[in-house]
Amino acid sequence: MIKYLKTDDSKCVGCMTCTSVCSRLYFKEDNPARSAIQVLDRGNNEFHLIACDQECRKCVAECPVQAIRVSAAGVVMIDKKLCVGCLACVAVCPIGAMRYYPGDSTTFKCVACGACAKECPKQALEIVRKEEGAAS
């Protein structure tokens, strides 16, 4: 089973509520650069949401100190005590969902907590569970 944040770009209006909720919850500051979900402005009022799909798991395989693991809920998690900040996970992430903020000693990513989905005024985000290998 995989638990992840499903995104719907067609509903996103670029309000940045999700980035604000995420950064405030995990870093105690309203800073989009410290959000595990990213909102990219494509222009013409079109936006693209980026969050870990919890399924590719390239970061798990790439981590040289095994600081990244998959939880029982199917969520890719980073053990901050083991992470050495080498950024190998950031480099290998194919969608840019593994994040790093300059000055921090560890990386971060979406852990499918659902806080952003609860606050999204347009329901562009949703926490879902699916069987591994099943289509999204």
Side-chain angles (χ1 to χ4, degrees):
M1 187 65 71
I2 295 173
K3 176 183 169 189
Y4 71 103
L5 182 68
K6 182 177 180 180
T7 62
D8 185 343
D9 290 353
S10 70
K11 293 180 178 179
C12 181
V13 295
C15 69
M16 307 298 281
T17 298
C18 56
T19 63
S20 180
V21 167
C22 183
S23 64
R24 284 193 331 252
L25 180 63
Y26 290 100
F27 293 100
K28 309 300 183 229
E29 68 174 286
D30 193 346
N31 180 349
R34 289 192 121 179
S35 171
I37 184 168
Q38 297 295 293
V39 180
L40 301 181
D41 187 346
R42 291 182 164 169
N44 297 322
N45 288 322
E46 292 180 12
F47 301 91
H48 177 59
L49 299 163
I50 298 174
C52 180
D53 67 10
Q54 309 297 343
E55 196 165 24
C56 96
R57 300 181 180 171
K58 290 182 180 186
C59 56
V60 176
E62 190 69 22
C63 182
V65 295
Q66 290 79 49
I68 306 174
R69 61 174 176 76
V70 180
S71 74
V75 177
V76 175
M77 305 290 289
I78 303 167
D79 185 331
K80 304 288 186 185
K81 293 177 184 170
L82 295 177
C83 179
V84 295
C86 70
L87 305 185
C89 56
V90 174
V92 76
C93 183
I95 61 170
M98 186 62 75
R99 312 276 302 139
Y100 173 75
Y101 186 79
D104 286 352
S105 59
T106 62
T107 57
F108 62 98
K109 58 173 286 310
C110 178
V111 294
C113 73
C116 59
K118 289 176 187 169
E119 298 295 326
C120 179
K122 298 297 181 180
Q123 293 78 46
L125 305 166
E126 173 186 11
I127 293 294
V128 297
R129 289 171 175 78
K130 69 176 185 173
E131 293 297 324
E132 288 193 51
S136 302

